[in-house]
């Protein structure tokens, strides 16, 4: 072993690095301070570096500093994205044995090398910065060992002044995939390695300003502040030339000071809706340092979160650094893409899950207006997996005892708290807080520090919390795992400002908020966006807005994680031969890996719209849900729809301060019995930093006369002249034009033909199965256990009546499954009219003990080339009983391909809730009550069977599903069970479907 043995020694975290300090880049002139690359003192070392990959650090040759190289790798990057090692996705499980502080002998290792030209000047210091290296780095300059550092998402800054010389210099970095620090980096992500953030050299003056901390206190009325500056030079302190400019670039003061203490009057406050920033300019001989600063006050009063004295709600997301191509390496442009998408979708807050982002990220958030929870690079979730559980015996043999369950739970918590308490790791946990807090302490957008994620609780976190509060009392502190208590320790929560949970239900929020509380309720993760998801976004919104004690939450998570596979498609856990893996649990984002918004994000956007309309006592009232802005910056476009058809429209402006209400001056149509809808669209008038003028912030749709239902005009009936032939198995019904075959064993039509042309390509059967969504991943076992995936129809009794204007078939039938009882009992009445109209009256009841149904309805196999259909329903996005705030009731057109949402892991998608009709040339369908419909090239079974969308093959038909009801979506992949009111759980129900074939 030729490396000094620091990587398994928790007492050695950094060797010869500068202390953690604020991030800033000195420039020579004020004019060049916008981009760091423009600074004369900044030299980027990014680029192609020589690289050698060793499957184990033991393979590193003794003379590795003399090695020649045959391969290169870009810096920054993750080596797994360049053909080395393999991708590996694991959530909670550690990817190596739990044996702290040791890591496997087979720990991979990357040897990096490059040359750089340098002309050292006397009286200058040279600081080599690595902004992110996973997991640890040994640095060598000109073949001399300089230092060592860990903490993947922290800057490691080495002073290499004494190692560089004139001319060509060589730099070697040995990077190990794992070190003792990896026990604290067990975040739910693809595990990638290498130098993944920028590398650069800073030239500094001999006695340079290493750190500064801007502090200020606002007075009670928030219009005056006193600003002070704490500075740290590497040698003796000295006066700086300090200048402050207002957001409008007017000088507020300029002075020479060692200890600044300056009053500022008429303060213009910063908040995310209007991020006003002052400019602080520090001049220190040849260096100019520019620091933007916003004034704002974050506090908790009587359990309510206040920003600038105003209660606010976080409309947040959890964001990982992740890209299918570049992995953890995120450029400024990529980050900007995320922030722009977030602004477009009404997101105002980000939790940097579960580590600090690049140092310039929070600077961008200051400027663009986002609230940040800056999380320290700590997660040791895998320790909770040490609890060994007996495999479950048969439920009949399990003389169940709750004491045992409680014991296992406590043992799991005790294991979970391993690093939170182990004195060996105390320093490491504190160091990770310092790396986070010291670096970003001058950032306005950072309102909250987070101790980390899912690492249990105990003395080490209590000490870390105390340190943070002493160092920076101006911000709030969050840590969710503090709800877990070790059996040998009583939690001290005095330094934590929130009661934080993850994945609690809307009812959990209500429950907490019903009691008087001193801390706000913060959902640091909620509404798990896995696959077709976020069906509960509206219910959470309601809960957040119901109580002042709830301060909103952070959806898990912003983007799907999936690197590209060799076939050019997205891959998830297990697709790379990785083990143990957590499958597609990494595909749980509001946007796809390459940033295409999912319907999830559109649902969240409209739920989070800053304006909401309601119809009350003949009036249309708008509520302003901005925390600070007046609605006078918006135009409100309205349009009336009569029976789905566009009628009068117009544009309105209102004046309404934040969190207030206003009546919309709009004249209602007379109640003429029609179905009247009012569509309202809220658009911003002027361009803002990330959004163009005319950007739609959201919409509402009001049903003004809900008692008026939309009706399909009946066809004039004509006398029937059907010929009826009945056998034990079939009933054949035909006239010159139409031919029907009715299957008496199943009680369904097996054939419908017009002029010899098949109108359905398979029997017209019932359907209860849906391809489980990711949110069905738990209930699917119950469903399968109940036989829902394997159900079929059978009839018991069929009677036929030839009436003067119709043929009527009455059936008693059921849906059943092998080895199970009946799932549904039917009384059916099929009515055939001579003009090709078929109605199916369904009266169903179901045994009360069975789990709720995925869906119930009819499935029609229509021709593959069906083409477009028109529907009057909630579109054009997919919509469900609990996920329809992204959609509007209206008349839309779609086809099977367009209607399919291609989730990487195929699942139920593309349904449309609340429909009045669907029609095409081949078929018109409607029902006695609004229904859900779906059009797809795939059957539910095909979507169930395939694990990747790119393996799907068309069924050869267009599958039209007409559902009495489709159960909701929820977010149960990691969240509460689907709420009762969204389940198809009624013990009996009735519906009549009407089908009119061959419209042409
Ligand atoms: C929890 C984690 O905090 C997050 O990193 C992610 O794993 C998420 O939920 C699920 O996607 S872990 C969960 C088991 C509570």
């Amino acid at each position: 072993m030729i490396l000094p043995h620091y990587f398994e020694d928790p007492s050695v975290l950094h060797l010869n690095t500068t202390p953690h300090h604020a991030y800033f880049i000195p420039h020579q002139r004020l004019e060049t301070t916008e981009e760091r690359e423009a600074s004369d003192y900044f030299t980027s070392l990014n680029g192609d570096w020589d690289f050698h990959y060793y499957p184990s650090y033991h393979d590193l040759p003794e003379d590795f500093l003399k090695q020649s190289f045959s391969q290169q790798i870009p810096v920054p990057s993750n080596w797994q994205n360049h053909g080395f090692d393999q991708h590996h996705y694991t959530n909670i499980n550690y990817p190596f044995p739990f044996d702290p502080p040791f890591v496997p002998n087979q720990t991979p290792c990357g040897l990096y090398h490059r040359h750089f030209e340098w002309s050292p000047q006397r009286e200058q210091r040279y600081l080599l910065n690595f902004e992110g290296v996973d997991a640890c780095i040994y640095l060598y300059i000109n073949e001399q060992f300089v230092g060592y550092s860990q903490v993947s998402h922290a800057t490691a800054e080495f002073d290499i002044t004494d190692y560089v010389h004139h001319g060509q210099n060589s730099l070697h970095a040995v990077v190990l995939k794992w070190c003792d620090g990896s026990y604290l980096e067990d975040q739910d992500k693809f595990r990638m390695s290498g130098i993944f953030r920028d590398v650069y050299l800073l030239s500094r003056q001999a006695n340079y300003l290493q750190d500064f901390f801007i502090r200020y206190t606002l007075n009670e009325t928030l219009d005056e502040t006193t600003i002070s500056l704490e500075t740290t030079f590497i040698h003796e302190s000295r006066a700086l030339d300090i200048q402050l400019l207002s957001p409008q670039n007017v000088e507020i003061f300029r002075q020479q000071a060692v200890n600044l203490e300056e009053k500022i009057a008429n303060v213009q406050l910063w908040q995310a809706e209007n991020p006003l920033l002052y400019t602080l300019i520090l001049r220190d001989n040849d260096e100019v340092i520019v620091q933007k600063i916003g004034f704002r006050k974050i506090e908790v009063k009587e359990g309510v979160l206040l920003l600038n004295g105003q209660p606010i709600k976080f409309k947040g997301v959890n964001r990982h650094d992740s890209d299918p191509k570049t992995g953890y390496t995120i450029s400024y442009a990529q980050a900007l893409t995320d922030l722009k998408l977030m602004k477009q979708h009404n997101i105002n807050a980000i939790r940097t899950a579960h580590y600090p982002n690049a140092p310039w990220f929070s600077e961008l958030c200051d400027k663009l207006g986002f609230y940040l929870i800056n999380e320290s690079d700590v997660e040791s979730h895998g320790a909770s997996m040490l609890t060994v559980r007996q495999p479950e015996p048969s439920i009949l043999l399990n003389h169940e005892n709750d004491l045992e369950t409680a014991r296992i739970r406590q043992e799991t918590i005790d294991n979970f708290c391993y690093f939170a308490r182990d004195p060996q790791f105390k320093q490491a946990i504190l160091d990770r807080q310092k790396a986070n807090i010291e670096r970003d302490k001058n950032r306005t957008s950072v309102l909250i520090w987070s101790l980390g994620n899912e690492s249990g609780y105990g003395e080490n976190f209590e000490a870390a919390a105390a340190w943070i509060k002493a160092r920076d009392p101006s911000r709030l502190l969050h840590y969710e795992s503090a709800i877990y208590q070790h059996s040998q320790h009583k939690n001290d929560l005095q330094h934590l400002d929130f009661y934080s949970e993850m994945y609690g239900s809307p009812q959990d929020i209500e429950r907490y908020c019903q009691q008087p509380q001193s801390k706000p309720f913060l959902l640091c993760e909620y509404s798990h966006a896995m696959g077709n998801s976020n069906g509960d976004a509206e219910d959470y919104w309601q809960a957040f807005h119901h109580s002042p004690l709830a301060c909103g939450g952070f959806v898990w998570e912003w983007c799907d994680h999936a690197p590209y596979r060799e076939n050019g498609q997205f891959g998830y856990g297990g697709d790379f031969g990785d083990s143990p893996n957590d499958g597609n649990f990494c595909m749980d984002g509001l946007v796809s890996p390459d940033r295409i918004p999912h319907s999830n994000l559109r649902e969240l956007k409209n739920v989070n719209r800053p304006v909401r309309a309601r119809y009350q006592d003949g009036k249309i009232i708008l509520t302003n849900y901005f925390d600070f802005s007046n609605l006078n910056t918006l135009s409100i476009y309205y349009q009336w729809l009569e029976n789905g058809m566009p009628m009068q429209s117009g544009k309105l402006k209102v004046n309404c301060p934040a969190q207030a209400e206003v009546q919309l001056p709009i004249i209602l149509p007379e109640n003429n019995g029609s179905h009247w809808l009012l569509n309202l669209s809220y658009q911003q008038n002027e361009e803002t930093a990330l959004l163009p003028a005319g950007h739609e912030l959201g919409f509402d749709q009001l049903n003004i006369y809900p008692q008026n239902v939309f009706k399909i005009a009946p066809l004039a009936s004509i006398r029937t002249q059907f010929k009826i032939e009945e056998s034990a198995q079939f009933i054949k019904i035909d006239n010159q034009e139409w031919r029907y075959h009715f299957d008496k064993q199943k009680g369904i039509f097996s054939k419908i033909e017009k002029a010899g042309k098949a109108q359905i390509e398979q029997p017209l059967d019932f359907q209860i199965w849906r391809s489980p969504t990711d949110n069905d991943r738990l209930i699917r076992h119950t469903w399968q256990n109940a036989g829902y995936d394997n159900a079929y129809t059978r009839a018991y009794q069929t009677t036929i009546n030839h009436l003067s204007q119709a043929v009527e078939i009455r059936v008693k039938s059921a849906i059943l499954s092998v080895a199970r009882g009946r799932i549904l009992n039917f009384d059916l009445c099929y009515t055939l009219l001579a003009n090709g109209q078929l109605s199916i009256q369904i009266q169903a009841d179901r045994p009360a003990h069975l789990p709720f149904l995925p869906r119930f309805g009819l499935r029609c196999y229509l021709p593959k080339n069906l083409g477009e259909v028109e529907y009057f329903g909630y579109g054009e996005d997919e919509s469900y009983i609990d996920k329809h705030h992204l959609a509007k009731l209206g008349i839309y057109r779609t086809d099977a391909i367009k209607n399919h949402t291609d989730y990487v892991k195929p699942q139920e998608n593309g349904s449309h809730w609340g429909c009045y009709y669907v029609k095409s040339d081949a078929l018109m369908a409607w029902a006695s009550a609004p229904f859900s419909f779906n059009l797809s090239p795939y059957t539910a079974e095909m979507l169930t069977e395939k694990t990747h969308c790119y393996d799907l093959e068309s069924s050869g038909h267009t599958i039209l599903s007409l559902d009495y009801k489709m159960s909701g979506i929820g977010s149960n992949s990691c969240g509460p069970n689907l709420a009762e009111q969204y389940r198809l759980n009624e013990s009996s129900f009735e519906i009549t479907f009407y089908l009119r074939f061959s419209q042409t």
Side-chain angles (χ1 to χ4, degrees), residues 91 188 354 381 453-454 502-503 525 528 556 585 588 974:
N91 174 8
D188 175 12
H354 298 303
H381 205 166
N453 187 54
E454 296 179 315
M502 45 173 74
Y503 305 109
E525 294 178 23
H528 198 244
W556 186 269
F585 216 58
D588 53 2
C974 186

